[in-house]
mmCIF file of all heavy atoms in Angstrom:
data_model
loop_
_atom_site.group_PDB
_atom_site.id
_atom_site.type_symbol
_atom_site.label_atom_id
_atom_site.label_comp_id
_atom_site.label_asym_id
_atom_site.label_seq_id
_atom_site.Cartn_x
_atom_site.Cartn_y
_atom_site.Cartn_z
ATOM 1 N N PRO J 295 131.655 86.896 104.980
ATOM 2 C CA PRO J 295 130.450 87.732 105.094
ATOM 3 C C PRO J 295 129.446 87.460 103.964
ATOM 4 O O PRO J 295 128.241 87.451 104.195
ATOM 5 C CB PRO J 295 130.991 89.157 105.016
ATOM 6 C CG PRO J 295 132.406 89.049 105.501
ATOM 7 C CD PRO J 295 132.882 87.705 105.018
ATOM 8 N N ASP J 296 129.949 87.206 102.753
ATOM 9 C CA ASP J 296 129.051 86.921 101.623
ATOM 10 C C ASP J 296 128.285 85.624 101.851
ATOM 11 O O ASP J 296 127.089 85.540 101.594
ATOM 12 C CB ASP J 296 129.834 86.824 100.308
ATOM 13 C CG ASP J 296 130.393 88.164 99.866
ATOM 14 O OD1 ASP J 296 129.884 89.216 100.318
ATOM 15 O OD2 ASP J 296 131.343 88.165 99.063
ATOM 16 N N TYR J 297 128.995 84.590 102.315
ATOM 17 C CA TYR J 297 128.348 83.296 102.573
ATOM 18 C C TYR J 297 127.284 83.459 103.653
ATOM 19 O O TYR J 297 126.179 82.945 103.529
ATOM 20 C CB TYR J 297 129.408 82.278 103.003
ATOM 21 C CG TYR J 297 128.892 80.870 103.120
ATOM 22 C CD1 TYR J 297 129.052 79.963 102.078
ATOM 23 C CD2 TYR J 297 128.264 80.422 104.273
ATOM 24 C CE1 TYR J 297 128.586 78.654 102.177
ATOM 25 C CE2 TYR J 297 127.792 79.121 104.386
ATOM 26 C CZ TYR J 297 127.956 78.246 103.334
ATOM 27 O OH TYR J 297 127.493 76.962 103.434
ATOM 28 N N PHE J 298 127.604 84.186 104.708
ATOM 29 C CA PHE J 298 126.666 84.407 105.806
ATOM 30 C C PHE J 298 125.422 85.151 105.310
ATOM 31 O O PHE J 298 124.289 84.790 105.636
ATOM 32 C CB PHE J 298 127.346 85.175 106.942
ATOM 33 C CG PHE J 298 126.493 85.311 108.165
ATOM 34 C CD1 PHE J 298 126.411 84.272 109.076
ATOM 35 C CD2 PHE J 298 125.770 86.467 108.409
ATOM 36 C CE1 PHE J 298 125.622 84.382 110.213
ATOM 37 C CE2 PHE J 298 124.982 86.588 109.541
ATOM 38 C CZ PHE J 298 124.908 85.545 110.442
ATOM 39 N N ALA J 299 125.634 86.195 104.491
ATOM 40 C CA ALA J 299 124.506 86.960 103.958
ATOM 41 C C ALA J 299 123.612 86.088 103.086
ATOM 42 O O ALA J 299 122.379 86.174 103.169
ATOM 43 C CB ALA J 299 125.019 88.164 103.162
ATOM 44 N N LEU J 300 124.210 85.229 102.257
ATOM 45 C CA LEU J 300 123.420 84.323 101.420
ATOM 46 C C LEU J 300 122.639 83.329 102.275
ATOM 47 O O LEU J 300 121.481 83.016 101.980
ATOM 48 C CB LEU J 300 124.319 83.575 100.434
ATOM 49 C CG LEU J 300 124.829 84.392 99.247
ATOM 50 C CD1 LEU J 300 125.859 83.591 98.454
ATOM 51 C CD2 LEU J 300 123.686 84.822 98.355
ATOM 52 N N ALA J 301 123.263 82.819 103.328
ATOM 53 C CA ALA J 301 122.584 81.880 104.223
ATOM 54 C C ALA J 301 121.398 82.557 104.905
ATOM 55 O O ALA J 301 120.310 81.976 104.995
ATOM 56 C CB ALA J 301 123.557 81.327 105.254
ATOM 57 N N GLU J 302 121.591 83.785 105.368
ATOM 58 C CA GLU J 302 120.488 84.524 105.991
ATOM 59 C C GLU J 302 119.355 84.752 105.007
ATOM 60 O O GLU J 302 118.184 84.594 105.340
ATOM 61 C CB GLU J 302 120.973 85.879 106.517
ATOM 62 C CG GLU J 302 121.658 85.826 107.841
ATOM 63 C CD GLU J 302 121.897 87.216 108.391
ATOM 64 O OE1 GLU J 302 122.407 88.090 107.657
ATOM 65 O OE2 GLU J 302 121.576 87.423 109.574
ATOM 66 N N GLN J 303 119.712 85.106 103.782
ATOM 67 C CA GLN J 303 118.700 85.340 102.744
ATOM 68 C C GLN J 303 117.934 84.055 102.445
ATOM 69 O O GLN J 303 116.713 84.071 102.319
ATOM 70 C CB GLN J 303 119.370 85.872 101.480
ATOM 71 C CG GLN J 303 118.408 86.232 100.384
ATOM 72 C CD GLN J 303 119.124 86.773 99.154
ATOM 73 O OE1 GLN J 303 120.341 86.712 99.049
ATOM 74 N NE2 GLN J 303 118.357 87.290 98.226
ATOM 75 N N ALA J 304 118.638 82.932 102.358
ATOM 76 C CA ALA J 304 117.988 81.652 102.083
ATOM 77 C C ALA J 304 117.012 81.292 103.193
ATOM 78 O O ALA J 304 115.902 80.815 102.933
ATOM 79 C CB ALA J 304 119.035 80.549 101.913
ATOM 80 N N ILE J 305 117.402 81.533 104.428
ATOM 81 C CA ILE J 305 116.517 81.230 105.563
ATOM 82 C C ILE J 305 115.256 82.094 105.492
ATOM 83 O O ILE J 305 114.145 81.610 105.703
ATOM 84 C CB ILE J 305 117.254 81.424 106.901
ATOM 85 C CG1 ILE J 305 118.284 80.310 107.067
ATOM 86 C CG2 ILE J 305 116.284 81.464 108.069
ATOM 87 C CD1 ILE J 305 119.250 80.526 108.196
ATOM 88 N N LYS J 306 115.431 83.363 105.151
ATOM 89 C CA LYS J 306 114.264 84.247 105.045
ATOM 90 C C LYS J 306 113.337 83.801 103.930
ATOM 91 O O LYS J 306 112.115 83.829 104.073
ATOM 92 C CB LYS J 306 114.716 85.691 104.815
ATOM 93 C CG LYS J 306 115.289 86.337 106.044
ATOM 94 C CD LYS J 306 115.786 87.734 105.756
ATOM 95 C CE LYS J 306 116.463 88.308 106.988
ATOM 96 N NZ LYS J 306 117.119 89.584 106.706
ATOM 97 N N VAL J 307 113.907 83.368 102.794
ATOM 98 C CA VAL J 307 113.086 82.908 101.677
ATOM 99 C C VAL J 307 112.338 81.640 102.063
ATOM 100 O O VAL J 307 111.144 81.497 101.786
ATOM 101 C CB VAL J 307 113.954 82.664 100.418
ATOM 102 C CG1 VAL J 307 113.196 81.893 99.357
ATOM 103 C CG2 VAL J 307 114.465 83.983 99.860
ATOM 104 N N LEU J 308 113.031 80.723 102.722
ATOM 105 C CA LEU J 308 112.407 79.451 103.077
ATOM 106 C C LEU J 308 111.393 79.572 104.208
ATOM 107 O O LEU J 308 110.395 78.868 104.233
ATOM 108 C CB LEU J 308 113.484 78.426 103.469
ATOM 109 C CG LEU J 308 114.387 77.966 102.334
ATOM 110 C CD1 LEU J 308 115.522 77.118 102.880
ATOM 111 C CD2 LEU J 308 113.592 77.180 101.303
ATOM 112 N N HIS J 309 111.664 80.447 105.170
ATOM 113 C CA HIS J 309 110.830 80.500 106.369
ATOM 114 C C HIS J 309 110.150 81.845 106.601
ATOM 115 O O HIS J 309 109.362 81.964 107.532
ATOM 116 C CB HIS J 309 111.671 80.153 107.603
ATOM 117 C CG HIS J 309 112.280 78.797 107.524
ATOM 118 N ND1 HIS J 309 111.555 77.646 107.583
ATOM 119 C CD2 HIS J 309 113.570 78.413 107.348
ATOM 120 C CE1 HIS J 309 112.354 76.601 107.470
ATOM 121 N NE2 HIS J 309 113.570 77.035 107.325
ATOM 122 N N GLY J 310 110.437 82.814 105.763
ATOM 123 C CA GLY J 310 109.931 84.162 105.990
ATOM 124 C C GLY J 310 108.429 84.310 105.906
ATOM 125 O O GLY J 310 107.848 85.188 106.524
ATOM 126 N N ASN J 311 107.773 83.440 105.146
ATOM 127 C CA ASN J 311 106.331 83.569 104.970
ATOM 128 C C ASN J 311 105.534 82.705 105.932
ATOM 129 O O ASN J 311 104.317 82.658 105.850
ATOM 130 C CB ASN J 311 105.950 83.218 103.526
ATOM 131 C CG ASN J 311 106.508 84.218 102.550
ATOM 132 O OD1 ASN J 311 106.600 85.398 102.865
ATOM 133 N ND2 ASN J 311 106.910 83.769 101.385
ATOM 134 N N ARG J 312 106.217 82.023 106.807
ATOM 135 C CA ARG J 312 105.506 81.170 107.758
ATOM 136 C C ARG J 312 104.963 82.003 108.905
ATOM 137 O O ARG J 312 105.565 82.966 109.329
ATOM 138 C CB ARG J 312 106.444 80.097 108.326
ATOM 139 C CG ARG J 312 106.832 79.086 107.302
ATOM 140 C CD ARG J 312 107.654 78.011 107.930
ATOM 141 N NE ARG J 312 108.044 77.045 106.935
ATOM 142 C CZ ARG J 312 108.645 75.922 107.204
ATOM 143 N NH1 ARG J 312 108.937 75.610 108.443
ATOM 144 N NH2 ARG J 312 108.967 75.089 106.251
ATOM 145 N N ARG J 313 103.817 81.581 109.388
ATOM 146 C CA ARG J 313 103.262 82.232 110.570
ATOM 147 C C ARG J 313 102.439 81.215 111.335
ATOM 148 O O ARG J 313 101.965 80.236 110.773
ATOM 149 C CB ARG J 313 102.437 83.461 110.212
ATOM 150 C CG ARG J 313 101.234 83.195 109.370
ATOM 151 C CD ARG J 313 100.576 84.499 108.925
ATOM 152 N NE ARG J 313 99.420 84.222 108.104
ATOM 153 C CZ ARG J 313 98.177 84.202 108.547
ATOM 154 N NH1 ARG J 313 97.922 84.479 109.805
ATOM 155 N NH2 ARG J 313 97.173 83.937 107.752
ATOM 156 N N VAL J 314 102.286 81.443 112.594
ATOM 157 C CA VAL J 314 101.514 80.549 113.454
ATOM 158 C C VAL J 314 100.071 81.012 113.440
ATOM 159 O O VAL J 314 99.790 82.195 113.573
ATOM 160 C CB VAL J 314 102.067 80.574 114.899
ATOM 161 C CG1 VAL J 314 101.214 79.740 115.821
ATOM 162 C CG2 VAL J 314 103.511 80.111 114.901
ATOM 163 N N ILE J 315 99.186 80.039 113.272
ATOM 164 C CA ILE J 315 97.755 80.340 113.273
ATOM 165 C C ILE J 315 97.114 79.509 114.375
ATOM 166 O O ILE J 315 97.276 78.289 114.421
ATOM 167 C CB ILE J 315 97.105 79.989 111.914
ATOM 168 C CG1 ILE J 315 97.758 80.787 110.789
ATOM 169 C CG2 ILE J 315 95.601 80.236 111.952
ATOM 170 C CD1 ILE J 315 97.290 80.392 109.410
ATOM 171 N N ALA J 316 96.396 80.163 115.254
ATOM 172 C CA ALA J 316 95.671 79.457 116.317
ATOM 173 C C ALA J 316 94.511 78.688 115.699
ATOM 174 O O ALA J 316 93.955 79.102 114.674
ATOM 175 C CB ALA J 316 95.162 80.450 117.352
ATOM 176 N N ALA J 317 94.136 77.590 116.302
ATOM 177 C CA ALA J 317 93.069 76.743 115.775
ATOM 178 C C ALA J 317 91.782 77.536 115.555
ATOM 179 O O ALA J 317 91.083 77.339 114.559
ATOM 180 C CB ALA J 317 92.824 75.568 116.705
ATOM 181 N N GLU J 318 91.484 78.450 116.465
ATOM 182 C CA GLU J 318 90.241 79.214 116.323
ATOM 183 C C GLU J 318 90.296 80.229 115.179
ATOM 184 O O GLU J 318 89.266 80.768 114.767
ATOM 185 C CB GLU J 318 89.833 79.886 117.635
ATOM 186 C CG GLU J 318 90.872 80.668 118.370
ATOM 187 C CD GLU J 318 91.814 79.835 119.248
ATOM 188 O OE1 GLU J 318 91.617 78.635 119.455
ATOM 189 O OE2 GLU J 318 92.781 80.413 119.709
ATOM 190 N N GLU J 319 91.491 80.477 114.635
ATOM 191 C CA GLU J 319 91.627 81.399 113.500
ATOM 192 C C GLU J 319 91.478 80.697 112.150
ATOM 193 O O GLU J 319 91.402 81.356 111.116
ATOM 194 C CB GLU J 319 93.005 82.080 113.526
ATOM 195 C CG GLU J 319 93.234 83.005 114.684
ATOM 196 C CD GLU J 319 94.627 83.604 114.651
ATOM 197 O OE1 GLU J 319 95.046 84.098 113.592
ATOM 198 O OE2 GLU J 319 95.309 83.553 115.684
ATOM 199 N N LEU J 320 91.444 79.361 112.137
ATOM 200 C CA LEU J 320 91.340 78.622 110.885
ATOM 201 C C LEU J 320 89.973 78.827 110.250
ATOM 202 O O LEU J 320 88.947 78.809 110.932
ATOM 203 C CB LEU J 320 91.546 77.126 111.121
ATOM 204 C CG LEU J 320 92.951 76.675 111.497
ATOM 205 C CD1 LEU J 320 92.944 75.191 111.838
ATOM 206 C CD2 LEU J 320 93.928 76.957 110.377
ATOM 207 N N SER J 321 89.989 79.004 108.944
ATOM 208 C CA SER J 321 88.718 79.096 108.220
ATOM 209 C C SER J 321 88.153 77.686 108.075
ATOM 210 O O SER J 321 88.846 76.696 108.298
ATOM 211 C CB SER J 321 88.945 79.708 106.839
ATOM 212 O OG SER J 321 89.690 78.810 106.027
ATOM 213 N N GLU J 322 86.892 77.594 107.676
ATOM 214 C CA GLU J 322 86.297 76.276 107.444
ATOM 215 C C GLU J 322 87.050 75.540 106.344
ATOM 216 O O GLU J 322 87.226 74.326 106.411
ATOM 217 C CB GLU J 322 84.819 76.426 107.076
ATOM 218 C CG GLU J 322 83.944 76.788 108.253
ATOM 219 C CD GLU J 322 82.476 76.855 107.867
ATOM 220 O OE1 GLU J 322 82.064 76.137 106.939
ATOM 221 O OE2 GLU J 322 81.755 77.634 108.515
ATOM 222 N N GLN J 323 87.516 76.286 105.333
ATOM 223 C CA GLN J 323 88.273 75.690 104.233
ATOM 224 C C GLN J 323 89.609 75.120 104.747
ATOM 225 O O GLN J 323 89.994 74.012 104.393
ATOM 226 C CB GLN J 323 88.517 76.721 103.137
ATOM 227 C CG GLN J 323 89.229 76.155 101.924
ATOM 228 C CD GLN J 323 89.455 77.214 100.846
ATOM 229 O OE1 GLN J 323 89.178 78.399 101.042
ATOM 230 N NE2 GLN J 323 89.961 76.781 99.710
ATOM 231 N N ASP J 324 90.308 75.895 105.596
ATOM 232 C CA ASP J 324 91.570 75.415 106.177
ATOM 233 C C ASP J 324 91.337 74.159 107.003
ATOM 234 O O ASP J 324 92.068 73.182 106.900
ATOM 235 C CB ASP J 324 92.204 76.484 107.078
ATOM 236 C CG ASP J 324 92.668 77.707 106.318
ATOM 237 O OD1 ASP J 324 92.990 77.592 105.128
ATOM 238 O OD2 ASP J 324 92.716 78.784 106.949
ATOM 239 N N ASP J 325 90.296 74.188 107.831
ATOM 240 C CA ASP J 325 89.981 73.055 108.695
ATOM 241 C C ASP J 325 89.646 71.817 107.866
ATOM 242 O O ASP J 325 90.108 70.714 108.156
ATOM 243 C CB ASP J 325 88.825 73.412 109.631
ATOM 244 C CG ASP J 325 88.611 72.350 110.698
ATOM 245 O OD1 ASP J 325 89.611 71.908 111.294
ATOM 246 O OD2 ASP J 325 87.451 71.979 110.922
ATOM 247 N N SER J 326 88.885 72.010 106.808
ATOM 248 C CA SER J 326 88.519 70.903 105.925
ATOM 249 C C SER J 326 89.761 70.319 105.253
ATOM 250 O O SER J 326 89.928 69.099 105.159
ATOM 251 C CB SER J 326 87.529 71.394 104.868
ATOM 252 O OG SER J 326 87.295 70.392 103.912
ATOM 253 N N PHE J 327 90.649 71.179 104.805
ATOM 254 C CA PHE J 327 91.886 70.731 104.158
ATOM 255 C C PHE J 327 92.744 69.918 105.121
ATOM 256 O O PHE J 327 93.223 68.838 104.788
ATOM 257 C CB PHE J 327 92.676 71.944 103.639
ATOM 258 C CG PHE J 327 93.954 71.585 102.967
ATOM 259 C CD1 PHE J 327 93.970 71.247 101.619
ATOM 260 C CD2 PHE J 327 95.157 71.581 103.667
ATOM 261 C CE1 PHE J 327 95.164 70.915 100.983
ATOM 262 C CE2 PHE J 327 96.343 71.249 103.045
ATOM 263 C CZ PHE J 327 96.349 70.909 101.698
ATOM 264 N N LEU J 328 92.920 70.419 106.341
ATOM 265 C CA LEU J 328 93.735 69.718 107.334
ATOM 266 C C LEU J 328 93.120 68.391 107.732
ATOM 267 O O LEU J 328 93.820 67.400 107.932
ATOM 268 C CB LEU J 328 93.958 70.599 108.561
ATOM 269 C CG LEU J 328 94.870 71.796 108.345
ATOM 270 C CD1 LEU J 328 94.891 72.675 109.594
ATOM 271 C CD2 LEU J 328 96.276 71.357 107.988
ATOM 272 N N THR J 329 91.795 68.364 107.852
ATOM 273 C CA THR J 329 91.118 67.121 108.199
ATOM 274 C C THR J 329 91.296 66.090 107.085
ATOM 275 O O THR J 329 91.559 64.924 107.347
ATOM 276 C CB THR J 329 89.614 67.375 108.443
ATOM 277 O OG1 THR J 329 89.497 68.326 109.495
ATOM 278 C CG2 THR J 329 88.893 66.101 108.816
ATOM 279 N N ARG J 330 91.211 66.552 105.857
ATOM 280 C CA ARG J 330 91.305 65.646 104.713
ATOM 281 C C ARG J 330 92.730 65.160 104.463
ATOM 282 O O ARG J 330 92.953 63.988 104.189
ATOM 283 C CB ARG J 330 90.768 66.350 103.470
ATOM 284 C CG ARG J 330 90.716 65.474 102.263
ATOM 285 C CD ARG J 330 89.967 66.145 101.136
ATOM 286 N NE ARG J 330 90.080 65.338 99.936
ATOM 287 C CZ ARG J 330 89.968 65.791 98.719
ATOM 288 N NH1 ARG J 330 89.714 67.061 98.527
ATOM 289 N NH2 ARG J 330 90.085 64.998 97.691
ATOM 290 N N PHE J 331 93.701 66.064 104.539
ATOM 291 C CA PHE J 331 95.060 65.726 104.147
ATOM 292 C C PHE J 331 96.057 65.603 105.304
ATOM 293 O O PHE J 331 97.169 65.149 105.118
ATOM 294 C CB PHE J 331 95.599 66.753 103.139
ATOM 295 C CG PHE J 331 94.834 66.763 101.853
ATOM 296 C CD1 PHE J 331 93.956 67.790 101.553
ATOM 297 C CD2 PHE J 331 94.981 65.729 100.949
ATOM 298 C CE1 PHE J 331 93.248 67.799 100.364
ATOM 299 C CE2 PHE J 331 94.278 65.727 99.750
ATOM 300 C CZ PHE J 331 93.405 66.765 99.459
ATOM 301 N N GLY J 332 95.675 66.014 106.483
ATOM 302 C CA GLY J 332 96.572 65.934 107.628
ATOM 303 C C GLY J 332 96.667 64.522 108.174
ATOM 304 O O GLY J 332 95.911 63.628 107.774
ATOM 305 N N PRO J 333 97.578 64.294 109.105
ATOM 306 C CA PRO J 333 97.705 62.954 109.696
ATOM 307 C C PRO J 333 96.492 62.635 110.566
ATOM 308 O O PRO J 333 95.874 63.524 111.151
ATOM 309 C CB PRO J 333 98.967 63.063 110.549
ATOM 310 C CG PRO J 333 99.112 64.518 110.841
ATOM 311 C CD PRO J 333 98.545 65.233 109.660
ATOM 312 N N SER J 334 96.180 61.361 110.642
ATOM 313 C CA SER J 334 95.082 60.923 111.501
ATOM 314 C C SER J 334 95.537 60.961 112.955
ATOM 315 O O SER J 334 96.737 61.052 113.245
ATOM 316 C CB SER J 334 94.661 59.503 111.129
ATOM 317 O OG SER J 334 95.699 58.589 111.473
#
């Protein structure tokens, strides 16, 4: 149970702050960053 709880906690730390953003929700700054540093 301890190992499982630690694994769950690690997943939340690694992925807990991620969220999906629709293209139309991107700010001009986000769009500029992705255009500059994203894949062609």
Side-chain angles (χ1 to χ4, degrees):
D296 291 339
Y297 188 97
F298 186 82
L300 285 172
E302 279 189 312
Q303 184 179 10
I305 289 169
K306 286 177 185 172
V307 167
L308 292 172
H309 301 291
N311 294 326
R312 291 184 181 188
R313 62 187 180 97
V314 176
I315 300 173
E318 49 278 351
E319 294 179 48
L320 290 174
S321 68
E322 286 183 29
Q323 183 180 6
D324 293 333
D325 189 46
S326 173
F327 180 85
L328 290 174
T329 301
R330 185 170 173 205
F331 296 106
S334 68

